[in-house]
Amino acid sequence: MDAIEVNRRIPLSVMFNFRDVGGYPGYDGRTVRWGRLYRSDSPHRIDGADRDAFAALGVRTVVDLRRPSEVERDGRVPELGGLAYRNIHPEHADWGENPYQHGTDLARYLADRYADLAESGAAGLAEAVGLIADQANAPVLVHCVAGKDRTGIVCGLTLAVLGVSDAEIAADYALSTEAAERFQAWFDSTGKQMRPGLPPLTTPAGAMVLFLAELRQRHGSVEGYLRHAGLTDTQLTALRDHLLE
């Protein structure tokens, strides 16, 4: 793990996948700004010293991609002064309807689930990227439960619009594998059980590469997909203007 990967991780005791999405090379030699967009697993567990560390980041907007039932079950980010909270659930089928068969190609399975979510949840994904595009909302934290699938898609789409290469986007997505190991260890310590049919928490880079390539095959470009989903050219331009140095 190189120094820049270490620096993008935000160490918190009860969160395992909190990191900065800045630092990647984008369009015209410009770089994605640090401290503007964060991604994480669910922050409902933040308390004590973690609460102070989170507040010090100056996050203005939390975009929670979980289902309303997940929010009701676990709770939401603590209410802090000046912090806006938005629960945006991109509509998608429960993964239990198409359970993962152990031993099959995990990257292919995940890319297929992501493609399904991108079609059924297009409006929600566009709304989330639209919130990130509005400079008044920054810094923004995007999260779901483990911070790898729904969060990975929103961050992947955002970075693609910023001109980050698929290889870099996939590498950022794959960072969730190591974090997921710590998340799994914590989850096991609670005595709870994962729902049957869910895939391993691993995030193979190939899943994101497949998802982005096939999204472009269907829509011509990531920007074309987001326009189809409801984002305007003005929002796409605003996203680049404030997230690229």
Side-chain angles (χ1 to χ4, degrees), residues 86-142:
R86 292 289 295 274
N87 181 210
I88 301 173
H89 164 51
E91 295 290 339
H92 62 285
D94 190 294
W95 286 24
E97 296 177 17
N98 194 341
Y100 174 68
Q101 303 297 322
H102 287 275
T104 59
D105 186 341
L106 178 59
R108 179 71 270 168
Y109 173 84
L110 290 171
D112 288 343
R113 301 289 73 70
Y114 298 167
D116 290 345
L117 191 154
E119 295 307 313
S120 62
L125 294 176
E127 184 180 358
V129 176
L131 284 172
I132 296 168
D134 186 344
Q135 184 173 358
N137 295 327
V140 174
L141 170 65
V142 178

Side-chain angles (χ1 to χ4, degrees), residues 42-43 62-67 70-71 75-77 85-90 141-145:
S42 178
V62 171
V63 179
D64 182 347
L65 301 172
R66 295 175 299 164
R67 297 176 184 273
E70 293 171 319
V71 179
R76 47 153 286 180
V77 65
Y85 171 80
R86 292 289 295 274
N87 181 210
I88 301 173
H89 164 51
L141 170 65
V142 178
H143 79 87
C144 50
V145 175

